[in-house]
Amino acid sequence: MFKNYIKIAWRNLIRNKSFSFINIVGLSLGLACSIFIFIWVKDERGIDAFHENGEQLYIVTSREYTGNEILDSYDTPGLLAEELKDKIPEIEYGCNIGWNSYHTFSANEKTLKLKGNYAGADFFNMFSYPLLIGSKETVLKSPESIAISKKMAVSLFGNIENAIDKTIKFENYIDLQITGVFDDLKNNVSEKFEYIINWNLFIKRHSWVNNWGNSGPTSYIQLKAGVTSEIVSPKIKSFISNYDKNYSDDDKLELGLQRFNEAYLYSKFENGIPSKGRIEYVNLFSIIAIFILLIACINFVNLSTALSIKKAKEIGVRKVIGAKQPELIKQFLAETLLFTTIAIFISLLLVGLLLPTFNDVTSKQISSPFINGTFWLNILGLTIITGLIAGSYPAFLLSSFKPISVLKTNITLSPKSGFLRKGLVVFQFVLSILFIVGVIIISKQINYIQTKNIGYDKENLVYISTTGNIEAKFDVFKNKGLEISGVNNISIMSYRPVGLNNTTSSVDWLKKAPNTKINFTPLAVGYDFIKTIQADLLYGRDFSLDFSDTDNYIINETALKKIGYKNPIGMPLTFWGKKGTIIGVVKDFHFNSLHVPIAPLVIRMSHNNEGYALVRVQSDKMQIALEGLKTLYEQLNPNFPFAHQFANEEYALLYESEQVVHTLSNYFAFLAIFISCLGLLGAVLFAAEQRKREIGIKKVLGANIAILIKVITKDFLIMVSIAFIITIPIAWFIMQNWLENFEYKVTVNWPVVFAIAGACVFLIALLTMSFQAIKAALANPVKSLRTE
């Protein structure tokens, strides 16, 4: 029996090639899009979810109350994790981790510049990064110990066995002993690294870590088996107050806990709790996948219903010769499943062909899902569910036709049926208009981010690490570098100005209220810093060789507001116990993403030239300048590879997620509109078939083509109008919430946005309907009026 169903379904598919083609194309695109989104969502949810101790592994959060402000972050004192482990008996392990950054290593006359981190001795006890050689209990016990990746070991020593216990030169100034080799990290890790260095070296290089008033590193703890965060959270809430006595009742810092495997998706804070982040995009695209699949299924319903007119007499004949309604339902569902199976096959082919492109767009490395048994079970379920959703209504509708009615005259469907079909068309266009509005708003915000004046000129600004001899010979590098054609200015800063997260409360000034707790972001720079980044000075001057600026400071506008000086130039300021004078106030510039407000900033002179050389280059001489800088760098620093980054590219990386959303939204909007237009085409075909006799009569009575086209399209334009009206509040609410993720956001002219979206949809709808409407209007009325 089932074989017979498939045969009949195949014949119907071949007999109605146009309908079949539109149905299969719509379903294939909808399914392919949904599959892409589902594998992306699965990959996102799998990040950092592989650790064996995941249920007990937590990241420590900080929530600081300063006056009327609440500052939330993962930044904590660099001594916190070990102290928590020592003082809280329910904590089994604890380690602080620094910032992933590039460092240079030398061994066997080879030099590599790789990205890695510092971490406490418990790191490999807590995290399940597989050690190929070495014991997780002892690998980071020694202050000079380092664990390296398999890739790094092979690059420097040929194989992992030769690497163990060897010494490796770190930044050309200290020898570290390789005590372990871990396997190369897979794609399900949020922070990639090639080495882990013992935390003691971080403390040795950054003495500020020993002050409990300074924050920046991240703290991780692992609770003992059976212990829950509800037990530990109250014990660590006010833990910092035991070590930092500068807090008052109004100014306080509270610690919290977040499960580590949730931090990747929930990294944005709301009222002190990490509750937002990438999870919003995961949920958004999950909904989009469902909606696009629904749009494709709605197409199938509309097209199948349109086709029902042609099948009516066939159904009547089959009922007369004894076919029962359940058998007809099975037949039509079999036909739908055949369509769906073909569409699934085509969609899987599209997924296989386009997966590399999808990975490029999303900056992912998702492997082919076809080797996963679970994937095929999901596909089977998707096929059945899609087939049932798409085929149920047409199956019950077609099988309910009365044989006498359909054999005697043309079939007319009930008003309820018409209401449902119109409702489905409206729903399709609600989603399409929503996609268009989303694309417009996201594009505006991305453009705003890219073009907004962030307070300094990020174009033609180059970063070069002062690794190795450059740190000691920076004055030579600067003087000779300024002689290179195309180089305008050179300065130095301790960190790149795209993510300064470390803070300190060790700042004092005249008439500072007792127990006032304000966190400032510290930044060490060289001479001509303001001039090089081309920021604006509101008062005073830049650091200059013409003055002795060792004990002088420059602050930003926000810091000035916190300090409260009316005439700040020449006023005293004490930073980390070092008394000095304010010589300048720089206009606020963004040193973090536009998601967060600008923090108070204290800029001081660098004492060791550690960090990055900043080079301002003429745009028309960029290549000449880079070649000259490379030659100079290699002369002064022959053991280290020359590497540089552009400030504008580093800035763009802050909004990588938004860029991905922007690109995917464009594709999804196009697909949603295209698939919706296929559904609209099906609805027009249905209307033309239903009103064939009416159109024929009007044409015989002298109606012109324009009137006939209006007869066919009027109802659909009303439906698109209804969809537009419904979408306005929904789109406004969704996109306004999305914009709230940014501290600095574009001003939206909503009437213009909705006017553009509406015009696009109406134009697309008209173009979609025109061909079929004109074809129906030009049809021979004699054929329309002939009784079949």
Side-chain angles (χ1 to χ4, degrees), residues 97 182 199 210 248 263-264 329 371 378 400 418 550-551 602 655:
I97 297 179
F182 55 87
W199 185 246
N210 294 296
S248 63
Y264 175 75
I329 290 173
I371 58 174
N378 291 333
S400 65
T550 305
D551 298 329
V602 175
Y655 310 100

Side-chain angles (χ1 to χ4, degrees), residues 501-554:
N501 297 313
N502 50 321
T503 60
T504 180
S505 59
S506 299
V507 181
D508 292 297
W509 57 90
L510 284 181
K511 298 182 179 179
K512 179 183 179 182
N515 296 323
T516 297
K517 184 74 174 181
I518 298 176
N519 277 339
F520 293 79
T521 296
L523 179 62
V525 305
Y527 294 112
D528 302 319
F529 171 72
I530 303 297
K531 180 181 178 181
T532 301
I533 69 170
Q534 295 183 2
D536 295 326
L537 275 170
L538 297 178
Y539 311 103
R541 60 176 176 82
D542 197 354
F543 294 119
S544 172
L545 283 168
D546 297 332
F547 300 88
S548 177
D549 283 333
T550 305
D551 298 329
N552 291 334
Y553 302 103
I554 297 173

